[in-house]
């Protein structure tokens, strides 16, 4: 425990991790396995973090890492293993079987489940997350003695001194805000959004399905034997409440109609949301003793499901660099953090950009649909094009192993 000084409880750690999402929690595990002390601070309470619904598709690369950390037992029991996905257009369904090309898979396992496994794993290591950390602020990041202050769930003020701070608290978090005027951000916002629902319904295919229609995209994916996640492309300013349940199911059926597949079965909608589509990368991902990871540094559209996987990739890069510092006092790996992480980030951005522009209606002119149809047909007809997509979809190698060696 820290000591109380001037009304603030002080403590010391090697790495202060702000944010208990996939980036922060996986980083904490990788550091713990290397004997590096870390503290994870999260502003929300534990029940909120465990129930937060986000991405549901894990790359093979991410699953391999969770296996390596000994955290994938429940995943292998409960996750849905996918070989690829279906493309549906012009009334026909085409399977893109990436497993046949590579021997690898994608896994449908919600972010809430990944986070729960990571939290439980830290508790088992007697390294619990500090939930309910309000009013987080970072200090002295241009020195080798940075610190984080916050108010605990019991109202006590805390100051955590550290060697380094890992900013894993998202785009609107305190860490990014602290360096916003010192980083460059490249950004494009798409003029449409995804109206998403979680519903009780039966699967129409064993894999996720992208139904590409002249009027916009519809996405069907499973979250369990009778729980489905559906999305509709809608204008960016759409109010989800403006769509009735009947209207949503009717539009999903219309855009997803196919001669070779059954109609989607409607069911009780238990959740609806609107996801804006943005493409964003900030550089550098390090300012002084502060390192940005995950959504604090970059955002990809949900097309292709890269966000969670990129967050874990960032954690691998930083844990490797910190391992080098504490094992041999090397600073070169820390200095190279941005340059090491960014190539994979930009590859994911390129993949997501290509998929997003191909699958969505982007213009109302006569050129839009014929051009997108030609791109879709090329993927269906060309083994080389299909393999190229599968290679990235199932997960490019992480830039470094998480272990320092």
């Amino acid at each position: 425990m820290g000591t109380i000084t001037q009304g603030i409880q002080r403590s010391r750690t090697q790495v202060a991790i702000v944010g208990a999402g996939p980036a922060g929690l996986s980083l904490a595990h990788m550091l713990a396995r290397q004997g590096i002390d870390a503290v994870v601070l999260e502003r929300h309470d534990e029940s909120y973090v465990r129930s937060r619904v986000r991405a549901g598709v894990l790359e093979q690369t991410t699953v391999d890492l969770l296996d390596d950390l000994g955290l994938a037992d429940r995943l292998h029991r409960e996750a849905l293993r996918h070989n690829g996905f279906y493309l549906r257009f012009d009334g026909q369904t085409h399977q893109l079987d990436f497993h046949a090309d590579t021997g690898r898979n994608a896994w449908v396992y919600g972010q809430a489940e990944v986070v729960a496994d990571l939290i439980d794993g830290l508790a088992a290591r007697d390294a619990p997350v500090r939930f309910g950390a309000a009013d987080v602020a970072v200090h002295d990041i241009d020195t080798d003695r940075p610190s984080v202050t916050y108010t605990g769930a019991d109202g006590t003020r805390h100051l955590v001194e550290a060697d380094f701070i890992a900013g894993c608290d998202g785009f609107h978090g305190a860490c990014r805000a602290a360096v916003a005027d010192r980083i460059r951000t490249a950004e494009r916002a798409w003029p449409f959004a995804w109206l998403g629902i979680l519903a009780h319904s039966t699967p129409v295919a064993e894999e996720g399905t992208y139904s590409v229609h002249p009027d916009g995209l519809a996405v069907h994916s499973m979250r369990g034997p009778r729980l489905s996640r559906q999305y509709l492309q809608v204008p960016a300013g759409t109010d989800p409440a403006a769509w009735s349940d009947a209207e949503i199911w009717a539009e999903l059926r219309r855009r997803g109609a196919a001669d070779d597949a059954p109609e989607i079965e409607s069911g009780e909608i238990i959740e609806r949301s609107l996801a804006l589509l943005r493409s964003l990368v900030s550089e550098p991902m390090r300012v002084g003793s502060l390192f940005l990871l995950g959504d604090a540094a970059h955002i990809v559209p949900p097309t292709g499901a890269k966000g969670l996987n990129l967050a874990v990739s960032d954690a691998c890069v930083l844990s490797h660099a910190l391992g080098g510092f504490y094992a041999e006092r090397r600073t070169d790996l820390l200095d190279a953090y941005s340059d090491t992480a960014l190539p994979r980030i930009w590859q994911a951005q390129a993949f997501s950009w290509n998929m997003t522009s191909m699958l969505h209606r982007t213009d109302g002119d006569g050129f839009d649909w014929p051009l997108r149809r030609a791109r879709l047909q090329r993927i269906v007809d060309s083994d080389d094009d299909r393999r190229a997509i599968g290679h990235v979809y199932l997960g490019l190698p992480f830039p470094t192993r998480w272990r320092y060696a």
Side-chain angles (χ1 to χ4, degrees):
M1 292 289 293
T3 59
I4 304 294
T5 304
Q6 295 180 343
I8 295 181
Q9 182 167 328
R10 296 175 177 268
S11 59
R12 172 79 189 163
T13 190
Q14 290 175 305
V15 182
I17 300 172
V18 183
L25 294 170
S26 62
L27 176 62
H29 275 279
M30 291 181 241
L31 296 180
R33 292 284 292 270
Q34 298 177 89
I36 300 169
D37 186 46
V39 171
V40 181
L41 308 174
E42 167 59 45
R43 68 186 180 96
H44 294 290
D45 63 35
E46 184 171 356
S47 62
Y48 176 90
V49 173
R50 284 179 177 268
S51 63
R52 188 163 44 191
V53 177
R54 293 290 188 273
V57 179
L58 305 183
E59 299 172 350
Q60 180 73 65
T61 320
T62 299
V63 174
D64 291 344
L65 178 134
L66 294 172
D67 272 323
D68 202 20
L69 291 171
L71 297 169
D73 289 349
R74 188 166 73 95
L75 182 154
H76 287 297
R77 291 195 307 270
E78 300 180 9
L80 302 176
R81 186 192 306 231
H82 279 198
N83 294 332
F85 55 80
Y86 287 101
L87 275 180
R88 181 174 294 166
F89 61 98
D90 289 342
Q92 299 297 312
T93 307
H94 308 273
Q95 183 179 19
L96 302 186
D97 188 349
F98 304 135
H99 177 78
D101 295 327
T102 66
R104 301 161 71 225
N105 294 94
W107 303 75
V108 176
Y109 193 64
Q111 177 171 314
E113 307 306 322
V114 176
V115 166
D117 293 341
L118 291 168
I119 291 172
D120 292 342
L122 287 175
R125 301 184 64 90
D126 196 26
V129 179
R130 299 186 188 179
F131 292 102
D135 304 319
V136 171
V138 298
H139 311 275
D140 301 322
I141 61 171
D142 290 316
T143 74
D144 59 1
R145 301 282 291 186
S147 62
V148 182
T149 55
Y150 70 96
T151 302
D154 63 356
T156 302
R157 288 292 293 166
H158 294 259
L159 184 147
V160 180
E161 296 178 324
D163 299 325
F164 304 101
I165 299 172
C168 310
D169 51 343
F171 183 79
H172 298 290
C175 292
R176 179 185 174 87
V179 297
D181 60 344
R182 300 172 65 180
I183 56 178
R184 305 178 305 277
T185 298
E187 179 179 11
R188 287 186 180 177
W190 296 86
F192 43 78
W194 280 11
L195 172 60
I197 62 168
L198 192 65
H200 293 299
S201 60
T202 57
V204 297
E206 64 269 24
E207 307 280 15
T209 303
Y210 290 103
S211 295
V212 190
H213 189 276
D215 293 336
L217 176 68
V219 182
H220 170 84
S221 62
M222 296 307 298
R223 292 295 183 267
R226 287 195 58 82
L227 191 66
S228 70
R229 172 71 76 180
Q230 319 273 355
Y231 295 102
L232 281 172
Q233 178 187 348
V234 295
T238 296
D239 177 4
W243 286 67
S244 70
D245 291 4
E247 288 171 331
I248 291 174
W249 287 116
E251 190 63 10
L252 285 168
R253 291 193 188 96
R254 187 177 78 86
R255 296 188 194 179
D259 300 329
D260 54 8
E263 190 175 72
I264 292 175
E265 176 189 318
S266 62
E268 178 192 6
I269 295 176
I270 57 178
E271 178 187 284
R272 63 174 68 198
S273 61
L274 189 74
L276 300 177
L277 275 64
R278 302 168 64 199
S279 301
L280 179 150
V281 179
S282 295
E283 304 179 38
M285 295 168 60
R286 175 192 182 182
V287 178
S289 298
L290 173 64
F291 297 81
L292 300 178
L293 294 80
D295 286 357
H298 46 75
I299 296 173
V300 291
T303 325
K306 293 299 171 193
L308 182 156
N309 299 284
L310 280 180
V312 175
S313 175
D314 292 346
C316 280
V317 177
L318 184 55
S319 67
H320 180 77
L322 290 168
F325 176 81
Y326 287 109
E328 299 180 356
R329 291 295 160 180
R330 290 180 61 178
T331 59
D332 59 314
L333 298 175
L334 293 169
D335 293 339
Y337 170 67
S338 286
D339 290 340
T340 305
L342 281 166
R344 191 180 194 277
I345 292 165
W346 277 111
Q347 286 294 327
Q349 288 284 3
F351 173 82
S352 296
W353 186 271
N354 179 52
M355 291 284 288
T356 301
S357 63
M358 177 176 63
L359 299 177
H360 295 79
R361 177 180 177 175
T362 56
D363 230 324
D365 63 20
F367 211 71
D368 178 79
W369 174 238
L371 180 61
R372 291 195 293 123
R373 178 199 280 141
R375 294 171 67 186
L376 294 165
Q377 194 64 51
R378 177 66 182 170
I379 293 171
V380 171
D381 294 341
S382 168
D383 291 343
D384 289 341
D385 281 42
R386 185 191 66 248
R387 291 192 190 101
I389 288 178
H391 181 62
V392 185
Y393 178 75
L394 296 180
L396 295 171
F398 288 161
T400 61
R401 289 179 59 79
W402 66 269
R403 290 189 187 91
Y404 175 69

